[in-house]
Amino acid sequence: MVIHRGLALLFCLLPLVAVQGCTSTGGADASASGATTLQGRWAGKPATSFFSQYGQPYSEYVDRGGGIRYTWRKRYTETVAAPAAPGAAPAAAGPTYVCELDILTNEAGAIAKIGRVADPRLKSGETAGCRGTLGFDG
């Protein structure tokens, strides 16, 4: 009897769990929040458009799905603003950030997936981040 009650409870809760996982991908709210992510900005657009705006990829290879997988990497060093006073020391170099992206295109060359590499190769003193190269952290 205990097993039957457990199964009954499971079948009653299952539709609620399924509905809880559903979200809308259309409408103004979804597109507005998607515009602030790499995937939201670039999905469906030609990879050549991304590369013409931000520079050529570091590497590329043919993906098993028929598209091309690119690794795109840029280093950006912040400049610390110099004081406005005459004769003041020039601007100094700030921290260096490394932005590394994984970009997958479909067979037509449109971006299917784009995202930051979680653990990019860093040199001593570098930090992972895309704000200086993309204008936001992705």
Side-chain angles (χ1 to χ4, degrees):
M1 208 49 145
V2 174
I3 294 175
H4 292 297
R5 285 185 190 166
L7 287 175
L9 181 62
L10 176 68
F11 286 117
C12 288
L13 293 177
L14 192 58
L16 294 175
V17 173
V19 170
Q20 188 73 8
C22 297
T23 59
S24 170
T25 58
D29 293 338
S31 61
S33 64
T36 60
T37 65
L38 284 169
Q39 188 69 25
R41 284 187 186 190
W42 291 101
K45 295 180 181 170
T48 54
S49 296
F50 179 88
F51 299 137
S52 67
Q53 185 169 348
Y54 294 110
Q56 294 303 307
Y58 176 77
S59 66
E60 65 182 77
Y61 63 92
V62 176
D63 190 67
R64 287 182 289 192
I68 298 178
R69 183 172 297 274
Y70 298 95
T71 300
W72 180 89
R73 182 183 306 142
K74 292 292 178 210
R75 284 183 167 76
Y76 171 79
T77 302
E78 280 188 357
T79 304
V80 178
T96 299
Y97 296 95
V98 176
C99 180
E100 187 170 332
L101 304 178
D102 182 45
I103 303 170
L104 177 64
T105 64
N106 59 22
E107 292 177 359
I111 295 175
K113 292 183 182 179
I114 181 170
R116 283 181 47 191
V117 172
D119 191 18
R121 289 173 253 168
L122 302 173
K123 295 178 183 175
S124 177
E126 294 180 333
T127 304
C130 293
R131 186 173 311 274
T133 54
L134 300 175
F136 69 104
D137 239 359

